[in-house]
Amino acid sequence: MKEWIISISILLSPSLHRSWIHILLEFTAVTFSIFSVVFAQKNNIWLYPIGIVSTIIYSYLTFVTSLYGDFFINIYYTGMSGYGWYVWLFKNDQKNKKLSITFSDKKDYFYTLLWFVSTCLFSITVYFFNGKLQTIFDWMDVLTTGIFFSGMYQMAMKKVENWIFWMVGNLISVPIYFLKGLILTGFLFIFLALLAIEGYLIWNEKALNNKKNYF
């Protein structure tokens, strides 16, 4: 989800001598990001290979434009997408069936909280040593990074609640980017929040059906 921030940041960067290859790579990454979200809604495993292509491209683009924070985020997304791909392919439930869409239990919430806290602490450390955390926007970026990281973990485990993380993270990001003057990015986050709401409704229905079939 956060790839949209990176895309607009690269697009508006005054220091970037944009080449046609960079423009083509960015367009490809944006397109693959959209398809990845659509496939996620449909519980289609293609969300991972498509998402990996997008995050690898963004890893390159953010590195060459010195957006090192977002570079590390995309490295994480790439690794977690690989893990999610593996889990969706090979992990079975208690009845030895392929992993189904389910609701989170206490164990899932514990691991999600662990991801959230550790990610926020890591982000705070990175900001601190770079002399930041001076504005509310820095703290909100720490918060949304923790939310998005947690959502990625929940999606890998096929938990309905992953969409709540995307909804909350995207909605928090909307006013931030409007206030920063990045109007287009703000509208993009509204669009992503709407996709997350739709994804939640689709996965919630599937989880309820899986629960009935399980018993």
Side-chain angles (χ1 to χ4, degrees):
M1 303 287 183
K2 208 168 184 178
E3 282 83 355
W4 288 105
I5 308 176
I6 301 163
S7 178
I8 300 302
S9 299
I10 294 171
L11 182 64
L12 298 179
S13 176
S15 61
L16 175 64
H17 300 289
R18 293 175 59 80
S19 64
W20 283 107
I21 186 63
H22 282 172
I23 295 172
L24 179 60
L25 284 173
E26 184 181 0
F27 177 79
T28 302
V30 169
T31 302
F32 274 57
S33 295
I34 294 172
F35 277 108
S36 179
V37 175
V38 172
F39 279 122
Q41 289 180 337
K42 298 179 182 297
N43 188 29
N44 190 311
I45 199 169
W46 276 97
L47 83 95
Y48 287 116
I50 289 176
I52 286 173
V53 172
S54 175
T55 55
I56 288 176
I57 293 174
Y58 273 120
S59 295
Y60 166 75
L61 291 176
T62 51
F63 183 81
V64 299
T65 52
S66 300
L67 297 172
Y68 298 120
D70 288 324
F71 166 73
F72 286 114
I73 289 174
N74 275 278
I75 292 296
Y76 164 81
Y77 281 166
T78 303
M80 184 55 76
S81 293
Y83 174 72
W85 195 357
Y86 168 80
V87 169
W88 283 36
L89 277 174
F90 300 110
K91 188 170 182 177
N92 300 325
D93 60 19
Q94 294 178 357
K95 290 190 174 182
N96 202 33
K97 296 180 180 179
K98 289 297 183 182
L99 194 66
S100 302
I101 295 175
T102 57
F103 297 101
S104 294
D105 55 23
K106 291 182 180 179
K107 181 180 178 181
D108 296 313
Y109 283 124
F110 172 77
Y111 282 116
T112 301
L113 179 62
L114 190 63
W115 270 104
F116 176 78
V117 172
S118 59
T119 301
C120 286
L121 290 176
F122 176 77
S123 299
I124 289 172
T125 302
V126 172
Y127 269 110
F128 177 79
F129 282 105
N130 282 276
K132 294 187 177 181
L133 290 178
Q134 303 297 319
T135 68
I136 186 63
F137 297 117
D138 294 335
W139 286 102
M140 295 303 287
D141 187 59
V142 169
L143 176 63
T144 54
T145 299
I147 291 172
F148 289 136
F149 271 46
S150 302
M152 193 69 184
Y153 166 76
Q154 287 253 332
M155 177 171 285
M157 303 309 296
K158 279 196 175 182
K159 300 301 177 181
V160 175
E161 290 80 3
N162 88 86
W163 294 105
I164 297 177
F165 285 89
W166 298 121
M167 279 187 272
V168 173
N170 289 326
L171 289 174
I172 291 175
S173 299
V174 170
I176 293 175
Y177 285 92
F178 275 133
L179 290 172
K180 282 186 175 182
L182 300 176
I183 307 301
L184 181 57
T185 306
F187 281 116
L188 285 173
F189 271 101
I190 293 174
F191 173 69
L192 292 175
L194 292 174
L195 283 181
I197 293 172
E198 183 182 14
Y200 175 81
L201 295 174
I202 294 171
W203 277 40
N204 184 70
E205 183 178 356
K206 289 183 178 180
L208 291 173
N209 290 333
N210 290 334
K211 191 174 183 179
K212 291 178 182 177
N213 295 332
Y214 188 84
F215 293 104

